């Protein structure tokens, strides 16, 4: 029998996001601005990353806790060598029902088929524009749309369900809301808009740069009428809509203007094994040290119970109430989005 462990606000732990690498082939301006993450930036050396054996040991403990969903992220997770081996091994863990990867899609052309064969259930693909000039600016590396669209095509050919995620930031890509909606409407892929968040310390976040959910929906609804849908499951972060003409679905992740902390069942594990109970935490819990000090499974379980039962994070709600923001927040590329 798995222990039912709820945090201080009654939330169980259901969803674990694992960053498998902190490096990335992009430098998105809202995530890894090139002036900070330049050639001198010190990424984690390989021996500091959790090994696949270590990740699997932890996944087994989390699964006993009630975690059913694993999302592999980064950095760019497809840059981690032999990711398909990790997926194959996670697939074998009792209790894990869903494995997803969040990626910028560029390496999917080479990897989609083998990831699917290893047991991957679906992909979340990040794409912030459908016009080259905007996209090249946004990804900070001058990459054009084509390699991403090819990656999406490869995922489709491999039979992987796709969600396309677009971070919307005023002054960066709000011009792309309608073109993206038009482009993905008939593809069968779900397009999700994400409000620009103040993760990390370097992305220059302020409330004026957030395009609120209502503005996004109103704009699309005016041209292509929408009907709201119910959530698929407890804790789903996106508000869902379908087009009135029956073709296609979109979602909006309104992390800033409509906080969803009250149903937040997620924990995040960084590539070097720090566990974070909130995206906006400034420190984590060192599970790598537990693994490398030969803690038994029981000891790690006890530690996790102590961490989760002590959790009271509700950062986005606190921010909306006007509480001051923390300094030294963890970077998104490190903690995994
Ligand atoms: N490199 C992969 C990718 O881009 O899909 C995975 C890691 S990335 C950190 C995960 C997600 O975080 C992406 O969908 C990205 O758009 C999102 N993200 C990064 N910085 C963000 C920010 N400041 N506000 C909102 N979402 C952000
Ligand atoms: Fe890389 Fe993803 Fe961050 Fe863009 S959002 S810089 S692709 S980790
Ligand atoms: Fe969860 Fe923290 Fe985001 Fe709230 S702010 S939804 S607690 S990760």
């Amino acid at each position: 029998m798995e222990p039912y462990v709820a945090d201080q606000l009654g939330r169980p732990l259901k969803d674990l996001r694992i960053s498998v690498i902190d490096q990335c082939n992009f430098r998105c301006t809202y995530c890894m601005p090139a002036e900070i993450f330049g050639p001198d930036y010190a990424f984690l050396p390989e021996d500091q990353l959790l090994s696949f054996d270590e990740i699997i040991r932890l996944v087994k403990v989390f699964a006993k806790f009630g975690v059913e969903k694993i999302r592999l992220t980064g950095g760019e997770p497809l840059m981690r060598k032999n990711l398909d081996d990790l997926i194959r091994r996670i697939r074998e863990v009792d209790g894990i029902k869903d494995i997803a990867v969040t990626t910028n899609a560029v390496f999917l052309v080479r990897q989609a088929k083998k990831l699917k064969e290893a047991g991957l259930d679906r992909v979340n693909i990040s794409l912030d524009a459908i016009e080259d000039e905007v996209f090249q600016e946004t990804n900070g590396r001058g990459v054009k749309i084509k390699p991403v669209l090819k990656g999406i095509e490869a995922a489709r050919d491999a039979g992987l369900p796709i969600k396309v995620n677009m971070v919307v930031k005023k002054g960066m890509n709000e011009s792309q809301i309608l073109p993206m909606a038009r482009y993905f409407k008939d593809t069968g892929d779900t397009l999700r808009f994400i409000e620009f968040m103040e993760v990390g310390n370097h992305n220059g976040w302020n409330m004026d740069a957030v395009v609120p959910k209502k503005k996004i929906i109103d704009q699309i609804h005016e041209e292509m009428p929408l009907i709201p849908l119910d959530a698929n499951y407890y804790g789903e972060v996106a508000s869902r809509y379908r087009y009135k003409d029956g073709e296609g679905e979109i979602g909006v992740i309104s992390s800033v203007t409509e906080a969803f902390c009250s149903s937040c069942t997620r924990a995040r594990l960084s590539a070097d094994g720090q566990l974070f109970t909130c995206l906006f935490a400034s420190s984590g819990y060192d599970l790598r040290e537990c693994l490398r000090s030969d803690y038994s499974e029981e000891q790690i379980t006890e530690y996790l119970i102590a961490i989760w039962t002590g959790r009271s994070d509700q950062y986005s709600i606190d921010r909306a109430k006007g509480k001051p923001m923390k300094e030294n927040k963890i970077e998104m590329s490190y903690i995994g989005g």
Side-chain angles (χ1 to χ4, degrees):
M1 256 279 279
E2 71 191 30
Y4 179 84
V5 184
D7 71 6
Q8 297 276 307
L9 305 177
R11 301 166 295 189
L13 173 53
K14 288 276 170 206
D15 173 354
L16 180 66
R17 302 192 177 179
I18 304 175
S19 171
V20 290
I21 192 162
D22 61 338
Q23 296 176 39
C24 188
N25 52 326
F26 280 13
R27 289 289 176 273
C28 300
T29 51
Y30 54 79
C31 176
M32 297 178 78
E35 57 283 11
I36 305 292
F37 294 87
D40 297 332
Y41 187 83
F43 290 102
L44 291 166
E46 201 161 335
D47 64 339
Q48 289 198 28
L49 301 180
L50 288 187
S51 67
F52 288 176
D53 284 347
E54 289 171 329
I55 293 175
I56 293 297
R57 277 186 69 194
L58 288 179
V59 169
K60 285 181 179 162
V61 175
F62 277 101
K64 287 202 182 129
F65 239 75
V67 165
E68 296 171 344
K69 289 168 64 172
I70 300 285
R71 171 129 72 86
L72 301 175
T73 179
E76 175 45 50
L78 301 192
M79 288 175 73
R80 179 79 190 248
K81 268 185 237 140
N82 305 324
L83 192 68
D84 55 321
D85 287 343
L86 179 63
I87 291 173
R88 199 167 290 112
R89 293 179 65 182
I90 295 175
R91 189 79 274 169
E92 286 166 5
V93 176
D94 274 349
I96 300 301
K97 296 187 178 143
D98 188 66
I99 309 173
V101 164
T102 301
T103 171
N104 62 35
V106 168
F107 300 122
L108 275 177
V109 172
R110 267 185 279 149
Q111 297 192 32
K113 194 161 172 276
K114 71 175 172 184
L115 296 181
K116 167 75 179 166
E117 283 168 1
L120 182 66
D121 290 300
R122 57 203 171 82
V123 281
N124 297 325
I125 291 174
S126 305
L127 177 63
D128 301 320
I130 200 70
E131 282 160 23
D132 275 333
E133 306 72 60
V134 184
F135 186 57
Q136 284 178 289
E137 193 67 31
T138 306
N139 67 52
R141 281 275 165 98
V143 179
K144 291 191 171 182
I145 303 289
K146 202 165 170 193
V148 180
L149 294 184
K150 282 198 166 265
I152 294 179
E153 213 176 290
R156 227 179 261 140
D157 290 347
L160 288 163
I162 299 167
K163 285 184 182 143
V164 176
N165 291 329
M166 168 181 174
V167 173
V168 185
K169 182 181 168 194
K170 206 178 282 175
M172 176 178 89
N173 64 343
E174 77 268 40
S175 68
Q176 299 294 297
I177 295 171
L178 269 175
M180 284 283 284
R182 289 184 200 120
Y183 183 89
F184 284 102
K185 183 166 182 294
D186 303 323
T187 58
D189 308 330
T190 303
L191 174 62
R192 302 192 305 181
F193 300 92
I194 305 178
E195 290 178 347
F196 171 49
M197 295 187 284
E198 77 278 36
V199 278
N201 311 291
H202 305 296
N203 71 3
W205 186 89
N206 65 67
M207 192 64 202
D208 292 341
V210 177
V211 181
K213 167 182 156 186
K214 188 173 178 324
K215 269 201 158 170
I216 297 172
I217 291 301
D218 286 354
Q219 206 184 119
I220 299 173
H221 182 69
E222 201 174 303
E223 180 177 312
M224 296 173 279
L226 291 164
I227 298 173
L229 295 171
D230 290 336
N232 276 321
Y233 53 88
Y234 172 79
E236 186 172 34
V237 294
S239 325
R240 301 167 56 225
Y241 300 81
R242 73 170 173 80
Y243 291 104
K244 215 171 171 177
D245 66 9
E247 292 285 337
E249 177 179 327
I250 63 160
V252 186
I253 302 178
S254 53
S255 1
V256 180
T257 61
E258 287 174 14
F260 38 76
C261 303
S262 58
S263 60
C264 178
T265 54
R266 282 174 297 284
R268 291 174 165 88
L269 186 63
S270 67
D272 59 349
Q274 308 290 309
L275 185 75
F276 295 90
T277 56
C278 179
L279 190 50
F280 300 99
S282 40
S283 62
Y285 300 90
D286 193 350
L287 298 189
R288 187 185 63 188
E289 179 57 29
C290 300
L291 290 164
R292 295 188 183 176
S293 317
D294 282 333
Y295 272 37
S296 65
E297 199 172 295
E298 288 69 37
Q299 284 171 311
I300 297 177
T301 304
E302 270 168 35
Y303 187 37
L304 276 181
I305 291 175
I307 294 169
W308 196 258
T309 53
R311 176 193 193 230
S312 59
D313 304 289
Q314 46 167 0
Y315 179 85
S316 292
I317 288 182
D318 290 345
R319 187 213 320 92
K321 286 181 184 161
K323 285 202 183 170
M325 294 200 238
K326 281 183 207 154
E327 281 169 18
N328 296 322
K329 292 189 271 19
I330 296 301
E331 294 299 327
M332 188 77 138
S333 55
Y334 168 71
I335 194 174

